[in-house]
Amino acid sequence: MLRAHYFVFAYEIFVVIYMFAISATGAAGEDIDENYVRQLLGNLNTSFDPCEDFYAFACGNWAQHYDNDAYVDVPGYMDYEVNKQLLSALLVDRAANKSGIAQQAWHYYWSCVNLNAPALNTFLRYVQQALHFEWPILRADWQRPWQNATHFDWLRVVGGLRAYGLNGIFITQDVNVRFANATQYLLEVHAQQPPAVAPPALVLRLKDVESIFINFGLTEPEARNVSAGVIALEKSLNDALSTLTLPPPSTSNVSEANVTRANFTSLEMNVNDLIELVPEIDWRGYLLHTLGREVDLEQQLLQTYSYDLPYFRKLPALLAAHSNETIAYYIMLKFMFQLSGDLPTGMTDVQKSTHCMRLLRGYMPLAANYLYEEHYYKHRRVASDAALHRIFNKLRANFAQLVNANALQLNAAERAYILAELDGMQLRIGNVPHEAANLTSQVEEYYADINMSPSDFYGNHLQLIYGSVRRMQARLLNVPRAANATQQLIYEHNFETSSSSSPVKIFDNVVLVPYGYLQLPLYDHRLDALFQYSLFGFILAHEIMHAYDLFHIVYDQHGNFNELGLDVAQHYWSFINCTRQTELNDVLSENMADVAGLRVAYQTYFGPEEISTAAEQPHNITADVLKTGSRFENETPTQSQQQPVIGLNEIPNSLANSSPRLWLGNFTRPQLFFINSVQFLCANMPRIDALNVQPMHLGHDMHDVRVRRNWFNLEHFAAAFQCARDTPMNPTEKCRWW
């Protein structure tokens, strides 16, 4: 306990220093552009040629200035800073003896940082009590048979554990909107997640499983025997999944025959329909345990796929071939593996603090947003929001010009389809209803059902997961929103999205901007417009473009499935084939958003003349249309393009004695635009490479690959840096989307 008090005392000192630093920064507001450029150019590594490796040039020295074990890249750094800020807010509220939601959040955080000797089996004991069920490994007397050895209701256990986050085991289920009416929700039920899409942390490995059972007290022979049964069950399930005609996870072979037109049928039905189609499973009982309530078998809508049905029919017989104890162990291990990453195991005090604050952000997102709003953003919301909405609206207007320039050769109906969604797209800054008459009361009402204890992390954590799942499932009641309702929505997301500072395009046709990125070194509304549009403007443009990527184009402005989107997607083939990417997946969609988002941001800042030739430009822009000097033949550079922002003869007086390294070269506005556009992707790439993270699990290419693969496709890049033909950043063939 002394250790914990010392830890908090150290952070209280940090709060004072941090708040003083904020005040000092505000006092120096007039130097914000100079300080920003100093930092920006400090990240450059000019030993690299920007035409050879632009990422290394623009970000090569970033790791020297941001060398910390707590993060490996700019997004991680921004999350790290937000975590510190939220801790500061909690400490301030605690010092002021504030009650309510701040106290609840503090109790959760405090129980986490003070957790000694974390043990997953404590979670098992909690849910065992809640579900009135006995895990075979936890039976008090090993001499007696397990009480469920002859009768085990696996549907009841799997369904009950869904409320505590378990999913994708035997049956996968999620809440989603209807294809034809996005204002109504239904329950998706699908087969168990196949190995290709299951989170790596949930994959069972024999040696790991044996070690777990040995730690529970089994002898090595006993552990080997039990583990072999569990692995055999996993293999049986994977074999059953492999025989189904499954569409690959978010991917298809690239051929015009199957683009976005999946070779499977989506089925919408009520519960009675599913009972009739798959009588082998007690669906009524399963839904009772999953949702915690009886469902109307006629009114409750479900969605499944045609390939799920044969799997469901085989599942009971497949499980019957294994002992009840093996099935229970299998469920237990999956549940433990799901929660293992949440425990603060083997961490220093600082690492534990960061980890616990991330859990708070992910599992109490409204509370975290509320604290940030009240302590950091409220005082600058008016000015910051106005600047962001101005950028957002200009980006939308310029993309509309691109659509009407019609490089994709869409017909009138297809263009109208695109523009309708663009017209209705909204920007939301911070996931908190800040316009509420009494925000504090609304947030406390939202969390009225929780009771955080400062000394019970396990109970607290399961409470928060339970509340999050139940709120998501409550959408299935389809309670209509009043037509005259003006209250801002609170968007519910998964843990990864809620705990991230990165902006995201969500299904409600909203670009949601968390608070984390709305601070330096990424954004400040007082910055020169060049720095705002080239970095945060590009991020917003990237998210706007996600409305039209491979997987979202089929949903219209209301969120309804629309076959017109399939027709629009057929126009993407020239770009897709140009990129030579062989799979249609999230990585390709991210690259599409990079390529088009960079173009939209660039033309928005530099002016509409950048799209004057859009209709004539082919999707594949070859060097034949470029002059030797790397400019378009008919291009007339604007005054802003020709004027250097920073040059040897234009050093601000306050920086006249700065190191020449910071001011080398005459960087024009286009050059600074591109340099700045990359900054949110700067990273310590050797450390990331050592982590062996795969793009498939990230959903996008690695940071350096993104820049090397996508930035050269904007022809203005080669013009800005005067890159010779056929250099890596000025290849003969460039790919254009929009």
Side-chain angles (χ1 to χ4, degrees), residues 347-404:
M347 299 179 182
T348 65
D349 284 345
V350 173
Q351 290 171 335
K352 184 181 285 189
S353 174
T354 299
H355 174 82
C356 294
M357 192 54 64
R358 180 172 180 263
L359 293 180
L360 175 67
R361 292 173 64 192
Y363 291 114
M364 292 187 74
L366 180 59
N369 275 270
Y370 164 77
L371 288 167
Y372 203 97
E373 171 75 22
E374 292 294 296
H375 285 266
Y376 298 104
Y377 197 72
K378 182 168 64 175
H379 69 280
R380 55 189 166 97
R381 177 175 278 281
V382 172
S384 182
D385 281 16
L388 288 167
H389 280 284
R390 183 164 54 249
I391 294 172
F392 182 70
N393 290 332
K394 287 185 176 180
L395 291 169
R396 289 194 302 149
N398 275 275
F399 178 57
Q401 292 183 51
L402 271 179
V403 174
N404 287 321

Side-chain angles (χ1 to χ4, degrees), residues 414-434:
E414 291 166 344
R415 291 197 303 275
Y417 177 80
I418 297 295
L419 294 173
E421 181 159 9
L422 183 66
D423 184 60
M425 195 177 296
Q426 298 179 26
L427 181 68
R428 174 72 175 271
I429 301 164
N431 191 11
V432 64
H434 61 87

Side-chain angles (χ1 to χ4, degrees), residues 363 446-447 464 466-475 492:
Y363 291 114
Y446 184 86
Y447 289 111
L464 294 181
Y466 183 92
S468 177
V469 172
R470 288 294 187 236
R471 280 192 297 272
M472 189 71 71
Q473 292 174 338
R475 297 179 180 182
E492 296 275 358

Side-chain angles (χ1 to χ4, degrees), residues 175-178 181-187 293 299-302 471-481:
V175 176
N176 208 338
V177 295
R178 298 179 65 185
N181 183 357
T183 65
Q184 292 188 323
Y185 291 89
L186 49 65
L187 188 68
R293 59 178 174 82
Q299 296 299 317
Q300 179 60 63
L301 293 178
L302 306 172
R471 280 192 297 272
M472 189 71 71
Q473 292 174 338
R475 297 179 180 182
L476 296 171
L477 297 173
N478 286 310
V479 177
R481 180 174 166 85

Side-chain angles (χ1 to χ4, degrees), residues 523-534:
Y523 177 77
D524 191 295
H525 66 275
R526 298 168 297 171
L527 283 170
D528 183 275
L530 168 65
F531 301 127
Q532 293 190 50
Y533 278 90
S534 57

Side-chain angles (χ1 to χ4, degrees), residues 12 40 76 127 148 150 170 290 415 431 463 521 569 638 705 712 717:
E12 286 174 339
L40 173 66
V127 297
N148 294 109
T150 57
F170 303 152
T290 297
R415 291 197 303 275
N431 191 11
Q463 270 193 75
T638 64
V705 175
F712 67 70
F717 177 90

